[in-house]
Amino acid sequence: MPGVLDEIKQAVIDGNAGAAKELTNKALAAKVDALEIFQVALIPAMDEVGRRMQAEEYYIPEVLLSARAMRTSSEILKPLIAGNPNMKPAGKVVIGTVRGDLHDIGKNLVAMMLEGASFEISDLGINVTPDQFVAKVNEVKPNLVALSAMLTTTMMGMKETIEALKQAGVRSSVKVMVGGAPVNQRFADEIGADGYAADAATAANLAKSLVA
Amino acid sequence: METARLLSGFPVNIELTEVWRWLGSHGRKGDPRLAGEVEEAVALAGELIEPKAAYSRLRVRAVDPSGVLLENGERLNGSAGPYLAEQFRGAEELVVVVVTIGPRLEGRVQDLFGEKRPLEAVILDATGSAASSAASRYVNGLLCEEAGNDGLRAGRIVRPGSSHWDILGQRTLFAMLPTEEIGVSLTTSCLILPRKSGSGVVPLGRHLAAEHEPSEASCRHCPNTRCIARIVDIEQPSTATGTVVKVQATQ
Ligand code: B12
Protein backbone atom coordinates (compact mmCIF):
# COMPACT_ATOMS: atom_id res chain seq x y z
CA MET A 1 0.00 0.00 0.00
CA PRO A 2 2.59 2.54 -1.07
CA GLY A 3 0.05 5.36 -1.50
CA VAL A 4 -0.69 5.74 2.17
CA LEU A 5 2.98 5.49 3.11
CA ASP A 6 3.76 8.34 0.75
CA GLU A 7 0.92 10.30 2.26
CA ILE A 8 2.19 9.73 5.81
CA LYS A 9 5.66 10.78 4.72
CA GLN A 10 4.25 13.94 3.17
CA ALA A 11 2.15 14.72 6.25
CA VAL A 12 5.28 14.57 8.41
CA ILE A 13 7.26 16.72 5.96
CA ASP A 14 4.40 19.22 5.97
CA GLY A 15 4.28 19.17 9.76
CA ASN A 16 0.64 18.13 9.72
CA ALA A 17 0.18 16.13 12.94
CA GLY A 18 -3.56 15.64 12.44
CA ALA A 19 -3.08 14.09 9.00
CA ALA A 20 -0.14 11.99 10.21
CA LYS A 21 -2.29 10.49 12.96
CA GLU A 22 -5.28 9.84 10.74
CA LEU A 23 -3.20 8.30 7.94
CA THR A 24 -1.24 6.12 10.35
CA ASN A 25 -4.48 4.72 11.74
CA LYS A 26 -5.78 4.26 8.19
CA ALA A 27 -2.63 2.36 7.17
CA LEU A 28 -2.82 0.12 10.25
CA ALA A 29 -6.50 -0.59 9.56
CA ALA A 30 -5.47 -1.66 6.06
CA LYS A 31 -2.96 -4.08 7.69
CA VAL A 32 0.18 -2.20 6.70
CA ASP A 33 2.99 -3.38 8.96
CA ALA A 34 3.81 -0.87 11.74
CA LEU A 35 7.54 -1.31 11.24
CA GLU A 36 7.15 -0.61 7.54
CA ILE A 37 5.35 2.64 8.31
CA PHE A 38 8.21 3.58 10.57
CA GLN A 39 10.98 2.68 8.18
CA VAL A 40 9.44 3.62 4.84
CA ALA A 41 7.47 6.73 5.82
CA LEU A 42 8.63 8.31 9.08
CA ILE A 43 12.42 7.98 8.92
CA PRO A 44 12.69 9.11 5.27
CA ALA A 45 10.33 11.99 6.10
CA MET A 46 12.66 13.23 8.84
CA ASP A 47 15.60 12.78 6.44
CA GLU A 48 13.87 15.11 4.03
CA VAL A 49 13.11 17.58 6.83
CA GLY A 50 16.80 17.53 7.73
CA ARG A 51 17.73 18.17 4.13
CA ARG A 52 15.40 21.15 4.01
CA MET A 53 16.85 22.50 7.25
CA GLN A 54 20.37 22.24 5.87
CA ALA A 55 19.25 23.93 2.66
CA GLU A 56 17.73 26.66 4.85
CA GLU A 57 14.29 26.00 3.37
CA TYR A 58 13.00 25.05 6.82
CA TYR A 59 13.91 26.86 9.97
CA ILE A 60 13.61 25.59 13.50
CA PRO A 61 9.83 26.02 14.02
CA GLU A 62 9.08 24.13 10.81
CA VAL A 63 11.41 21.34 11.81
CA LEU A 64 9.62 21.16 15.15
CA LEU A 65 6.22 21.00 13.44
CA SER A 66 7.47 17.99 11.48
CA ALA A 67 8.96 16.42 14.60
CA ARG A 68 5.57 16.80 16.29
CA ALA A 69 3.82 15.11 13.36
CA MET A 70 6.36 12.29 13.46
CA ARG A 71 5.85 11.85 17.19
CA THR A 72 2.08 11.66 16.78
CA SER A 73 2.50 8.82 14.35
CA SER A 74 5.30 7.02 16.16
CA GLU A 75 3.39 7.05 19.46
CA ILE A 76 0.73 4.96 17.74
CA LEU A 77 3.33 2.65 16.21
CA LYS A 78 5.70 2.16 19.12
CA PRO A 79 3.59 -0.28 21.16
CA LEU A 80 3.09 -2.33 18.00
CA ILE A 81 6.76 -2.64 17.16
CA ALA A 82 8.12 -2.94 20.70
CA GLY A 83 10.06 -6.18 20.88
CA ASN A 84 10.14 -6.61 17.10
CA PRO A 85 13.65 -7.95 16.45
CA ASN A 86 13.78 -6.08 13.14
CA MET A 87 13.34 -2.74 14.91
CA LYS A 88 16.94 -1.89 15.59
CA PRO A 89 17.93 1.62 16.64
CA ALA A 90 20.48 3.31 14.39
CA GLY A 91 22.71 3.46 17.46
CA LYS A 92 22.87 4.69 21.02
CA VAL A 93 23.82 8.24 21.91
CA VAL A 94 24.77 9.80 25.23
CA ILE A 95 24.23 13.55 24.94
CA GLY A 96 24.70 16.50 27.28
CA THR A 97 25.79 20.10 27.71
CA VAL A 98 29.25 20.20 29.27
CA ARG A 99 30.24 21.38 32.73
CA GLY A 100 29.69 25.06 33.54
CA ASP A 101 27.22 25.51 30.71
CA LEU A 102 23.47 25.65 31.24
CA HIS A 103 22.25 26.01 27.66
CA ASP A 104 19.99 23.29 26.42
CA ILE A 105 17.85 24.44 23.49
CA GLY A 106 20.46 23.48 20.89
CA LYS A 107 21.28 20.24 22.65
CA ASN A 108 17.60 19.35 22.90
CA LEU A 109 17.08 19.96 19.18
CA VAL A 110 20.05 17.78 18.32
CA ALA A 111 18.65 15.02 20.56
CA MET A 112 15.29 15.31 18.81
CA MET A 113 16.75 15.06 15.32
CA LEU A 114 18.83 12.07 16.40
CA GLU A 115 15.72 10.45 17.82
CA GLY A 116 13.97 11.19 14.52
CA ALA A 117 16.80 9.33 12.79
CA SER A 118 16.00 6.38 15.13
CA PHE A 119 18.90 6.73 17.54
CA GLU A 120 18.30 5.78 21.17
CA ILE A 121 19.04 8.80 23.35
CA SER A 122 20.35 9.11 26.91
CA ASP A 123 20.14 12.80 27.69
CA LEU A 124 22.21 13.83 30.70
CA GLY A 125 20.92 17.41 30.60
CA ILE A 126 23.05 20.46 31.32
CA ASN A 127 26.18 21.18 33.37
CA VAL A 128 27.38 17.59 32.94
CA THR A 129 30.81 16.75 34.40
CA PRO A 130 33.31 14.56 32.55
CA ASP A 131 32.81 11.89 35.25
CA GLN A 132 29.06 11.86 34.65
CA PHE A 133 29.66 11.31 30.93
CA VAL A 134 32.07 8.46 31.69
CA ALA A 135 29.63 6.83 34.12
CA LYS A 136 26.81 6.98 31.58
CA VAL A 137 29.05 5.60 28.83
CA ASN A 138 29.93 2.67 31.09
CA GLU A 139 26.28 2.12 31.86
CA VAL A 140 24.65 2.28 28.43
CA LYS A 141 27.62 1.49 26.16
CA PRO A 142 26.67 3.98 23.44
CA ASN A 143 28.09 4.25 19.93
CA LEU A 144 28.22 8.01 20.21
CA VAL A 145 28.82 10.74 22.76
CA ALA A 146 27.45 14.15 21.76
CA LEU A 147 28.73 17.25 23.57
CA SER A 148 27.20 20.72 23.44
CA ALA A 149 28.56 24.10 24.63
CA MET A 150 27.46 27.69 24.01
CA LEU A 151 30.27 29.70 25.53
CA THR A 152 33.94 30.14 24.80
CA THR A 153 34.53 29.65 28.54
CA THR A 154 32.85 26.24 28.64
CA MET A 155 33.94 24.69 25.36
CA MET A 156 37.12 23.43 27.03
CA GLY A 157 34.79 21.14 29.00
CA MET A 158 34.55 19.16 25.77
CA LYS A 159 38.26 18.56 25.74
CA GLU A 160 38.16 17.55 29.41
CA THR A 161 35.34 15.11 28.69
CA ILE A 162 37.30 13.52 25.85
CA GLU A 163 40.33 13.25 28.15
CA ALA A 164 38.17 11.63 30.84
CA LEU A 165 36.86 9.10 28.32
CA LYS A 166 40.47 8.28 27.43
CA GLN A 167 41.46 7.95 31.08
CA ALA A 168 38.56 5.60 31.67
CA GLY A 169 39.69 3.47 28.72
CA VAL A 170 36.44 3.91 26.78
CA ARG A 171 37.45 6.53 24.22
CA SER A 172 38.02 3.99 21.45
CA SER A 173 34.63 2.37 21.99
CA VAL A 174 32.70 5.57 21.17
CA LYS A 175 32.69 8.32 18.58
CA VAL A 176 32.54 11.84 19.97
CA MET A 177 30.70 14.63 18.19
CA VAL A 178 30.64 18.25 19.28
CA GLY A 179 28.65 21.39 18.51
CA GLY A 180 27.30 24.71 19.79
CA ALA A 181 27.72 28.39 18.93
CA PRO A 182 31.47 28.85 19.58
CA VAL A 183 32.53 25.41 18.27
CA ASN A 184 33.87 24.82 14.78
CA GLN A 185 35.57 22.06 12.81
CA ARG A 186 39.02 23.32 13.68
CA PHE A 187 38.28 23.23 17.40
CA ALA A 188 36.77 19.76 17.03
CA ASP A 189 39.97 18.56 15.33
CA GLU A 190 42.16 20.20 17.95
CA ILE A 191 40.48 18.46 20.87
CA GLY A 192 40.37 15.12 19.08
CA ALA A 193 36.62 14.86 18.50
CA ASP A 194 35.44 12.64 15.66
CA GLY A 195 33.01 15.13 14.20
CA TYR A 196 31.43 18.58 14.34
CA ALA A 197 28.11 19.79 12.98
CA ALA A 198 26.73 23.32 12.81
CA ASP A 199 23.05 22.44 13.19
CA ALA A 200 20.74 19.68 14.31
CA ALA A 201 20.06 18.32 10.82
CA THR A 202 23.75 18.09 9.97
CA ALA A 203 24.24 16.50 13.40
CA ALA A 204 21.85 13.68 12.48
CA ASN A 205 23.69 13.02 9.22
CA LEU A 206 27.02 13.16 11.00
CA ALA A 207 25.79 10.66 13.59
CA LYS A 208 24.68 8.28 10.86
CA SER A 209 28.02 8.51 9.09
CA LEU A 210 29.95 8.03 12.35
CA VAL A 211 28.16 4.77 13.18
CA ALA A 212 28.11 3.47 9.61
CA MET B 1 31.23 51.73 44.28
CA GLU B 2 29.12 54.59 42.94
CA THR B 3 25.48 54.33 43.91
CA ALA B 4 23.84 52.24 41.31
CA ARG B 5 20.33 52.89 40.07
CA LEU B 6 17.90 50.02 40.16
CA LEU B 7 14.85 49.79 37.94
CA SER B 8 12.02 47.32 37.87
CA GLY B 9 8.67 46.81 36.23
CA PHE B 10 9.45 49.07 33.27
CA PRO B 11 7.50 48.56 30.04
CA VAL B 12 8.75 45.87 27.66
CA ASN B 13 7.19 45.82 24.25
CA ILE B 14 7.63 42.42 22.60
CA GLU B 15 7.18 42.76 18.86
CA LEU B 16 5.96 39.79 16.87
CA THR B 17 8.53 40.35 14.14
CA GLU B 18 11.23 40.24 16.79
CA VAL B 19 10.00 36.86 18.02
CA TRP B 20 10.18 35.54 14.45
CA ARG B 21 13.68 36.93 14.15
CA TRP B 22 14.85 35.10 17.28
CA LEU B 23 13.20 31.98 15.86
CA GLY B 24 15.54 32.31 12.89
CA SER B 25 13.14 33.57 10.24
CA HIS B 26 15.88 35.65 8.61
CA GLY B 27 13.44 38.25 7.43
CA ARG B 28 10.96 35.81 5.92
CA LYS B 29 7.33 36.04 6.90
CA GLY B 30 6.51 33.84 9.89
CA ASP B 31 4.85 30.50 9.20
CA PRO B 32 1.08 31.19 9.40
CA ARG B 33 0.51 27.80 11.07
CA LEU B 34 2.43 29.08 14.07
CA ALA B 35 0.97 32.58 14.23
CA GLY B 36 -1.42 31.58 17.01
CA GLU B 37 1.31 29.91 19.03
CA VAL B 38 3.57 32.94 18.71
CA GLU B 39 0.80 35.25 19.85
CA GLU B 40 0.07 32.98 22.81
CA ALA B 41 3.74 32.95 23.74
CA VAL B 42 3.86 36.74 23.67
CA ALA B 43 0.80 36.92 25.94
CA LEU B 44 2.30 34.33 28.31
CA ALA B 45 5.62 36.17 28.33
CA GLY B 46 3.73 39.29 29.38
CA GLU B 47 2.70 37.42 32.54
CA LEU B 48 6.06 35.79 33.20
CA ILE B 49 8.61 38.53 32.71
CA GLU B 50 9.88 40.62 35.59
CA PRO B 51 12.07 43.25 33.95
CA LYS B 52 14.78 44.66 36.15
CA ALA B 53 17.95 46.64 35.56
CA ALA B 54 20.92 47.96 37.49
CA TYR B 55 23.18 50.65 36.13
CA SER B 56 25.81 53.01 37.28
CA ARG B 57 27.45 56.05 35.69
CA LEU B 58 31.20 56.18 36.17
CA ARG B 59 33.85 58.74 35.24
CA VAL B 60 36.42 57.80 32.64
CA ARG B 61 40.00 58.84 33.47
CA ALA B 62 41.71 57.82 30.25
CA VAL B 63 41.21 55.96 27.00
CA ASP B 64 44.31 54.54 25.35
CA PRO B 65 45.06 51.60 23.05
CA SER B 66 45.20 49.24 26.04
CA GLY B 67 41.59 50.02 26.88
CA VAL B 68 39.58 52.24 29.19
CA LEU B 69 40.72 53.38 32.63
CA LEU B 70 38.02 54.50 35.03
CA GLU B 71 38.30 57.10 37.76
CA ASN B 72 37.64 54.34 40.32
CA GLY B 73 40.77 52.51 39.18
CA GLU B 74 38.95 49.72 37.28
CA ARG B 75 40.10 48.92 33.76
CA LEU B 76 38.25 47.57 30.75
CA ASN B 77 40.92 46.02 28.63
CA GLY B 78 42.36 42.58 27.85
CA SER B 79 42.46 41.44 24.27
CA ALA B 80 39.65 43.88 23.52
CA GLY B 81 41.74 46.94 24.48
CA PRO B 82 42.12 48.47 21.00
CA TYR B 83 38.47 47.76 20.15
CA LEU B 84 37.25 49.34 23.38
CA ALA B 85 39.60 52.29 22.88
CA GLU B 86 38.03 52.89 19.47
CA GLN B 87 34.48 52.69 20.84
CA PHE B 88 35.28 54.90 23.82
CA ARG B 89 37.35 57.57 22.06
CA GLY B 90 36.15 60.88 23.47
CA ALA B 91 34.20 59.29 26.35
CA GLU B 92 34.07 61.28 29.57
CA GLU B 93 31.84 58.86 31.40
CA LEU B 94 30.38 55.45 30.86
CA VAL B 95 27.34 53.59 32.05
CA VAL B 96 27.71 50.00 33.12
CA VAL B 97 24.39 48.21 32.86
CA VAL B 98 22.79 44.81 33.47
CA VAL B 99 19.23 44.07 32.39
CA THR B 100 17.14 40.96 32.98
CA ILE B 101 13.62 39.69 32.44
CA GLY B 102 13.91 37.40 35.46
CA PRO B 103 13.90 33.61 35.82
CA ARG B 104 10.22 32.73 35.40
CA LEU B 105 10.04 32.64 31.61
CA GLU B 106 13.04 30.35 31.21
CA GLY B 107 11.66 28.14 33.98
CA ARG B 108 8.50 27.69 31.96
CA VAL B 109 10.60 26.89 28.86
CA GLN B 110 12.31 24.13 30.85
CA ASP B 111 8.94 22.77 31.98
CA LEU B 112 7.64 22.72 28.40
CA PHE B 113 10.65 20.66 27.30
CA GLY B 114 9.96 18.34 30.25
CA GLU B 115 6.35 18.02 29.11
CA LYS B 116 7.62 17.02 25.65
CA ARG B 117 6.29 20.21 24.06
CA PRO B 118 9.48 21.37 22.34
CA LEU B 119 7.71 23.53 19.79
CA GLU B 120 6.03 25.64 22.47
CA ALA B 121 9.29 25.62 24.44
CA VAL B 122 11.33 26.98 21.55
CA ILE B 123 8.74 29.63 20.69
CA LEU B 124 8.58 30.82 24.30
CA ASP B 125 12.38 30.83 24.50
CA ALA B 126 12.60 33.02 21.40
CA THR B 127 9.92 35.27 22.90
CA GLY B 128 12.13 35.54 25.99
CA SER B 129 15.09 36.58 23.85
CA ALA B 130 12.90 39.18 22.14
CA ALA B 131 11.73 40.40 25.57
CA SER B 132 15.26 40.51 26.89
CA SER B 133 16.48 42.61 23.99
CA ALA B 134 13.40 44.84 24.19
CA ALA B 135 14.12 45.38 27.90
CA SER B 136 17.71 46.31 27.03
CA ARG B 137 16.47 48.71 24.37
CA TYR B 138 14.17 50.41 26.85
CA VAL B 139 16.94 50.87 29.40
CA ASN B 140 19.37 52.04 26.69
CA GLY B 141 16.84 54.65 25.61
CA LEU B 142 16.55 55.84 29.17
CA LEU B 143 20.32 56.08 29.54
CA CYS B 144 20.60 58.09 26.33
CA GLU B 145 17.89 60.41 27.58
CA GLU B 146 19.54 60.92 30.96
CA ALA B 147 22.88 61.56 29.32
CA GLY B 148 21.21 63.97 26.90
CA ASN B 149 19.80 65.96 29.81
CA ASP B 150 23.38 66.44 31.00
CA GLY B 151 24.55 67.53 27.55
CA LEU B 152 26.24 64.21 26.81
CA ARG B 153 25.82 61.91 23.83
CA ALA B 154 25.60 58.17 24.32
CA GLY B 155 27.57 55.79 22.11
CA ARG B 156 26.85 52.24 21.07
CA ILE B 157 26.55 49.69 23.87
CA VAL B 158 29.50 47.32 23.97
CA ARG B 159 28.89 43.86 25.43
CA PRO B 160 31.37 41.37 26.90
CA GLY B 161 31.39 38.23 24.76
CA SER B 162 30.20 40.08 21.68
CA SER B 163 32.16 41.65 18.86
CA HIS B 164 35.77 41.80 19.99
CA TRP B 165 35.36 41.76 23.74
CA ASP B 166 36.14 38.53 25.56
CA ILE B 167 33.30 37.20 27.69
CA LEU B 168 35.64 37.24 30.71
CA GLY B 169 35.05 41.01 30.65
CA GLN B 170 31.80 40.17 32.46
CA ARG B 171 33.76 39.84 35.70
CA THR B 172 34.90 43.47 35.59
CA LEU B 173 31.37 44.63 34.85
CA PHE B 174 29.73 42.58 37.55
CA ALA B 175 32.30 43.78 40.11
CA MET B 176 30.96 47.31 39.52
CA LEU B 177 27.24 46.65 40.06
CA PRO B 178 25.15 45.27 42.94
CA THR B 179 23.43 42.83 40.57
CA GLU B 180 22.28 40.62 43.46
CA GLU B 181 19.76 43.37 44.19
CA ILE B 182 18.03 42.63 40.91
CA GLY B 183 18.40 38.85 41.31
CA VAL B 184 21.19 38.50 38.77
CA SER B 185 24.48 36.63 39.21
CA LEU B 186 27.46 35.53 37.17
CA THR B 187 28.67 31.91 37.13
CA THR B 188 32.38 31.06 37.16
CA SER B 189 32.05 30.39 33.44
CA CYS B 190 30.71 33.96 32.98
CA LEU B 191 27.17 32.93 32.21
CA ILE B 192 24.60 35.41 33.53
CA LEU B 193 21.76 33.91 35.53
CA PRO B 194 18.88 34.26 34.77
CA ARG B 195 19.88 33.44 31.21
CA LYS B 196 17.56 35.96 29.58
CA SER B 197 19.75 38.85 30.63
CA GLY B 198 22.26 41.16 29.06
CA SER B 199 25.10 43.40 30.11
CA GLY B 200 27.23 46.11 28.62
CA VAL B 201 28.89 49.47 28.85
CA VAL B 202 27.77 52.62 27.08
CA PRO B 203 30.24 55.44 26.44
CA LEU B 204 29.04 58.98 27.18
CA GLY B 205 30.67 62.20 26.07
CA ARG B 206 30.15 65.60 24.52
CA HIS B 207 32.40 64.77 21.60
CA LEU B 208 32.19 61.02 21.17
CA ALA B 209 34.05 59.71 18.15
CA ALA B 210 31.87 56.70 17.43
CA GLU B 211 28.36 57.46 16.23
CA HIS B 212 25.45 56.31 18.30
CA GLU B 213 23.75 53.37 16.64
CA PRO B 214 20.73 51.34 17.73
CA SER B 215 21.76 48.19 19.56
CA GLU B 216 20.80 45.88 16.67
CA ALA B 217 23.58 47.40 14.66
CA SER B 218 25.93 45.23 16.69
CA CYS B 219 25.19 42.56 14.05
CA ARG B 220 27.27 44.74 11.78
CA HIS B 221 30.28 44.03 13.95
CA CYS B 222 29.72 40.29 14.25
CA PRO B 223 31.36 37.85 11.83
CA ASN B 224 28.72 35.15 12.32
CA THR B 225 26.79 35.73 9.12
CA ARG B 226 24.72 32.57 9.62
CA CYS B 227 23.55 33.57 13.11
CA ILE B 228 19.99 32.58 13.85
CA ALA B 229 19.14 36.12 14.93
CA ARG B 230 21.13 38.15 12.42
CA ILE B 231 19.39 41.28 11.19
CA VAL B 232 19.02 40.51 7.51
CA ASP B 233 19.66 43.89 6.03
CA ILE B 234 23.11 43.65 7.57
CA GLU B 235 24.84 41.16 5.33
CA GLN B 236 28.51 41.67 5.97
CA PRO B 237 30.40 42.56 9.11
CA SER B 238 31.70 46.07 8.75
CA THR B 239 35.27 47.16 9.15
CA ALA B 240 34.14 50.42 10.69
CA THR B 241 36.18 49.85 13.82
CA GLY B 242 39.31 49.71 11.73
CA THR B 243 39.69 46.01 12.42
CA VAL B 244 39.51 43.70 9.44
CA VAL B 245 37.00 41.03 10.33
CA LYS B 246 37.27 37.69 8.62
CA VAL B 247 33.95 36.40 7.33
CA GLN B 248 33.33 32.77 8.15
CA ALA B 249 30.46 30.63 6.99
CA THR B 250 29.80 29.35 10.49
CA GLN B 251 31.20 30.06 13.88
C1 B12 C 1 19.54 33.89 21.66
C2 B12 C 1 20.84 34.46 22.16
C3 B12 C 1 20.80 35.26 23.31
C4 B12 C 1 19.51 35.55 24.06
C5 B12 C 1 19.13 34.38 24.97
C6 B12 C 1 20.29 33.76 25.68
C7 B12 C 1 19.96 32.50 26.43
N1 B12 C 1 20.95 31.98 27.05
O1 B12 C 1 18.85 32.04 26.48
C8 B12 C 1 19.87 36.85 24.82
C9 B12 C 1 19.46 38.02 23.95
C10 B12 C 1 19.25 37.05 26.19
C11 B12 C 1 21.39 36.72 24.86
C12 B12 C 1 22.17 37.34 25.80
C13 B12 C 1 23.57 37.24 25.81
N2 B12 C 1 24.35 36.65 24.91
CO1 B12 C 1 23.68 35.57 23.47
N3 B12 C 1 23.20 34.66 21.92
C14 B12 C 1 22.06 34.24 21.47
C15 B12 C 1 22.26 33.61 20.06
C16 B12 C 1 21.89 34.68 19.03
C17 B12 C 1 21.46 32.36 19.75
C18 B12 C 1 21.55 31.25 20.76
C19 B12 C 1 20.43 30.27 20.54
O2 B12 C 1 19.50 30.18 21.34
N4 B12 C 1 20.45 29.58 19.41
C20 B12 C 1 19.42 28.64 19.03
C21 B12 C 1 19.89 27.24 19.27
C22 B12 C 1 18.89 26.29 18.68
O3 B12 C 1 21.11 27.10 18.62
P1 B12 C 1 22.41 26.46 19.28
O4 B12 C 1 22.29 26.39 20.75
O5 B12 C 1 23.62 27.08 18.69
O6 B12 C 1 22.33 24.96 18.76
C23 B12 C 1 22.42 24.57 17.39
C24 B12 C 1 23.85 24.32 16.90
O7 B12 C 1 24.83 25.04 17.61
C25 B12 C 1 24.03 22.85 16.96
N5 B12 C 1 24.46 22.23 18.21
C26 B12 C 1 24.25 22.60 19.50
N6 B12 C 1 24.74 21.69 20.34
C27 B12 C 1 25.26 20.71 19.61
C28 B12 C 1 25.88 19.51 19.97
C29 B12 C 1 26.34 18.65 18.98
C30 B12 C 1 26.98 17.37 19.36
C31 B12 C 1 26.22 18.99 17.60
C32 B12 C 1 26.76 18.11 16.57
C33 B12 C 1 25.59 20.19 17.23
C34 B12 C 1 25.11 21.03 18.23
O8 B12 C 1 22.73 22.38 16.65
C35 B12 C 1 21.77 23.20 17.31
C36 B12 C 1 20.44 23.17 16.62
O9 B12 C 1 20.52 23.51 15.23
C37 B12 C 1 23.80 33.31 20.08
C38 B12 C 1 24.51 33.44 18.75
C39 B12 C 1 24.29 32.26 17.87
N7 B12 C 1 23.99 32.49 16.65
O10 B12 C 1 24.38 31.12 18.29
C40 B12 C 1 24.32 34.38 21.06
C41 B12 C 1 25.54 34.07 21.93
C42 B12 C 1 25.41 32.70 22.55
N8 B12 C 1 25.43 35.08 22.98
C43 B12 C 1 26.56 35.56 23.33
C44 B12 C 1 26.72 36.55 24.33
C45 B12 C 1 28.11 37.12 24.51
C46 B12 C 1 25.66 37.01 25.11
C47 B12 C 1 25.78 37.98 26.30
C48 B12 C 1 26.86 37.56 27.27
C49 B12 C 1 25.98 39.42 25.77
C50 B12 C 1 25.97 40.44 26.87
N9 B12 C 1 27.13 40.78 27.41
O11 B12 C 1 24.93 40.93 27.21
C51 B12 C 1 24.34 37.91 26.91
C52 B12 C 1 24.28 37.19 28.23
C53 B12 C 1 23.70 35.83 28.22
C54 B12 C 1 23.94 35.09 29.51
N10 B12 C 1 22.90 34.59 30.11
O12 B12 C 1 25.04 35.00 29.99
C55 B12 C 1 27.71 34.97 22.55
C56 B12 C 1 28.59 34.02 23.38
C57 B12 C 1 30.05 34.18 22.96
C58 B12 C 1 31.03 33.64 23.92
N11 B12 C 1 32.13 34.31 23.96
O13 B12 C 1 30.87 32.69 24.61
C59 B12 C 1 26.96 34.35 21.31
C60 B12 C 1 27.63 33.12 20.72
C61 B12 C 1 26.88 35.49 20.27
C62 B12 C 1 28.22 36.02 19.80
N12 B12 C 1 28.59 37.16 20.28
O14 B12 C 1 28.91 35.43 19.05
N13 B12 C 1 21.86 35.89 23.89
Side-chain angles (χ1 to χ4, degrees), chain B residues 87-133:
Chain B
Q87 298 298 317
F88 280 77
R89 193 142 45 92
E92 296 155 56
E93 293 184 34
L94 61 76
V95 191
V96 41
V97 57
V98 170
V99 182
T100 186
I101 58 159
R104 288 174 61 213
L105 184 140
E106 61 199 51
R108 185 70 196 118
V109 170
Q110 218 83 54
D111 292 347
L112 286 166
F113 269 118
E115 291 162 20
K116 301 235 173 293
R117 290 162 67 190
L119 181 60
E120 290 91 334
V122 164
I123 292 175
L124 186 61
D125 183 79
T127 309
S129 297
S132 176
S133 52

Side-chain angles (χ1 to χ4, degrees), chain B residues 48-226:
Chain B
L48 294 174
I49 61 172
E50 300 157 310
K52 291 194 171 121
Y55 67 95
S56 197
R57 248 166 85 170
L58 303 163
R59 302 241 6 122
V60 170
R61 190 186 300 166
V63 178
D64 62 36
S66 71
V68 182
L69 177 63
L70 301 178
E71 211 59 82
N72 67 9
E74 289 282 0
R75 247 181 191 290
L76 308 176
N77 51 10
S79 58
Y83 171 72
L84 292 171
E86 177 68 31
Q87 298 298 317
F88 280 77
R89 193 142 45 92
E92 296 155 56
E93 293 184 34
L94 61 76
V95 191
V96 41
V97 57
V98 170
V99 182
T100 186
I101 58 159
R104 288 174 61 213
L105 184 140
E106 61 199 51
R108 185 70 196 118
V109 170
Q110 218 83 54
D111 292 347
L112 286 166
F113 269 118
E115 291 162 20
K116 301 235 173 293
R117 290 162 67 190
L119 181 60
E120 290 91 334
V122 164
I123 292 175
L124 186 61
D125 183 79
T127 309
S129 297
S132 176
S133 52
S136 289
R137 257 199 310 278
Y138 176 86
V139 176
N140 282 355
L142 201 77
L143 301 178
C144 290
E145 211 179 296
E146 284 183 10
N149 292 340
D150 295 339
L152 299 171
R153 267 202 12 223
R156 191 173 72 84
I157 186 161
V158 190
R159 300 177 181 280
S162 290
S163 302
H164 304 274
W165 195 2
D166 194 300
I167 200 161
L168 296 174
Q170 293 282 41
R171 293 184 184 145
T172 319
L173 247 74
F174 273 70
M176 294 192 278
L177 278 176
T179 57
E180 62 291 347
E181 290 185 33
I182 55 162
V184 170
S185 60
L186 192 67
T187 68
T188 47
S189 54
C190 285
L191 178 70
I192 310 178
L193 295 178
R195 281 175 284 179
K196 299 295 182 198
S197 303
S199 66
V201 286
V202 181
L204 305 179
R206 273 162 300 177
H207 312 288
L208 271 191
E211 274 297 308
H212 176 67
E213 303 169 77
S215 58
E216 286 87 352
S218 58
C219 286
R220 217 182 281 285
H221 301 266
C222 178
N224 186 357
T225 51
R226 282 193 62 192

Side-chain angles (χ1 to χ4, degrees), chain A residues 53-203:
Chain A
M53 185 184 189
Q54 276 176 302
E56 294 179 28
E57 290 165 33
Y58 273 14
Y59 61 114
I60 288 169
E62 285 151 335
V63 173
L64 288 169
L65 275 171
S66 289
R68 179 156 82 179
M70 161 144 185
R71 206 171 46 248
T72 317
S73 176
S74 65
E75 266 161 21
I76 303 170
L77 300 174
K78 266 188 189 148
L80 305 172
I81 46 185
N84 184 330
N86 295 324
M87 178 60 193
K88 285 201 202 84
K92 284 190 203 166
V93 185
V94 166
I95 190 168
T97 301
V98 298
R99 176 164 57 195
D101 206 319
L102 309 177
H103 287 97
D104 59 358
I105 303 264
K107 183 264 299 166
N108 290 350
L109 293 178
V110 171
M112 272 178 50
M113 285 305 278
L114 291 175
E115 210 173 350
S118 93
F119 281 89
E120 224 173 86
I121 311 293
S122 299
D123 187 345
L124 289 171
I126 52 178
N127 197 14
V128 184
T129 64
D131 288 352
Q132 288 170 314
F133 275 111
V134 168
K136 201 67 183 175
V137 165
N138 283 327
E139 183 194 325
V140 304
K141 313 240 172 311
N143 314 72
L144 282 167
V145 175
L147 308 175
S148 181
M150 264 308 250
L151 301 170
T152 42
T153 43
T154 55
M155 59 202 276
M156 279 328 237
M158 297 180 158
K159 185 172 184 207
E160 287 158 19
T161 305
I162 292 176
E163 290 303 321
L165 292 170
K166 274 188 200 155
Q167 292 277 311
V170 291
R171 175 67 185 91
S172 57
S173 68
V174 293
K175 300 280 188 198
V176 177
M177 55 192 237
V178 293
V183 181
N184 56 27
Q185 186 64 52
R186 204 170 104 202
F187 177 75
D189 294 341
E190 268 167 28
I191 63 167
D194 299 297
Y196 156 78
D199 59 61
T202 319

